[in-house]
Amino acid sequence: MDRLDQLLDAATPLLRRAEEVLEVAGVPVGHPVLDDFRRVRLMPADAAHSVAGLRPSALVDAAADLRAGARVCADVATSLPPPGDWEGEAADAYDDRRRRYAVHLSGTGESLDERLEASADLAAALHDWMARTRDNLASALADVLGSAESITLSAPPGHPPSMAEIRAAADLASHVLRVVATDYAEAEDLLQGSQELANPVPL
């Protein structure tokens, strides 16, 4: 259990309270939380729990395993034996196939070892992003738990909510959602930059 896990239990009732106020009273006109809702498309508590579901530990060994696979590909490519004293059409066909497999396994930007290395880089980047995203949200939750908005929303609810409660709910929601939106935009950039990994390797 890390800092986010510890803070999320304490912050969830506050986030739900902010959501209830905004659902009943609506968002103040022109408040930036409207843009935050459009970017994240989740309510604050759901967005926080989504981030809490990120588990960087699942990727700890992934990069190393992928790099080990890349080394195997390179080793196999260099170990494919040439025809030697074997001659004739069959030998030429074998050598052509051997060279093609070697290139497929290693040595070009489209080879398997290069794809595995690129996948390892992506796994390492996603691990770091997950850890950083969890840390950033934990800091945001610590901010809202110690904020004046938290005090306003912890008072017995008014019917309908007061303007102070509405403003506090919008400010609190915006703070959390903006942190989530910024980090998830970074993830989108990472994945868009690695789209070529989804393409099949030509043989």
Side-chain angles (χ1 to χ4, degrees):
M1 178 176 289
D2 64 5
R3 184 170 172 241
L4 176 57
D5 292 325
Q6 294 168 354
L7 289 168
L8 186 59
D9 286 344
T12 296
L14 176 61
L15 298 178
R16 294 296 187 200
R17 170 66 183 139
E19 293 172 6
E20 290 170 2
V21 169
L22 296 178
E23 287 171 359
V24 169
V27 175
V29 175
H31 196 283
V33 75
L34 288 169
D35 290 333
D36 300 323
F37 278 130
R38 281 191 285 267
R39 291 176 68 192
V40 179
R41 298 184 182 181
L42 289 172
M43 299 299 281
D46 291 335
H49 280 271
S50 176
V51 171
L54 298 173
R55 295 298 173 189
S57 59
L59 292 174
V60 166
D61 298 325
D65 291 344
L66 288 164
R67 295 192 202 285
R71 290 192 295 272
V72 169
C73 288
D75 290 343
V76 171
T78 59
S79 69
L80 294 173
D85 294 335
W86 184 20
E87 297 180 352
E89 291 184 5
D92 292 342
Y94 163 78
D95 197 41
D96 178 65
R97 180 61 61 90
R98 177 186 68 85
R99 292 175 186 276
R100 287 171 58 194
Y101 273 122
V103 170
H104 176 69
L105 289 169
S106 180
T108 71
E110 291 298 317
S111 59
L112 283 175
D113 66 339
E114 291 297 326
R115 289 292 191 93
L116 288 169
E117 286 288 353
S119 297
D121 292 341
L122 177 60
L126 287 173
H127 171 274
D128 293 345
W129 170 79
M130 287 184 185
R132 186 167 56 252
T133 297
R134 289 179 64 90
D135 287 343
N136 290 342
L137 180 60
S139 295
L141 294 182
D143 290 343
V144 299
L145 284 169
S147 67
E149 289 80 7
S150 173
I151 295 172
T152 299
L153 292 172
S154 65
H159 299 286
S162 67
M163 283 306 301
E165 289 174 314
I166 298 169
R167 173 62 65 174
D171 289 347
L172 187 149
S174 181
H175 183 69
V176 172
L177 291 175
R178 189 174 300 118
V179 169
V180 174
T182 299
D183 284 324
Y184 270 75
E186 181 183 346
E188 289 179 5
D189 290 341
L190 278 175
L191 295 176
Q192 286 178 359
S194 60
Q195 285 182 344
E196 70 277 2
L197 293 176
N199 298 327
V201 179
L203 179 60

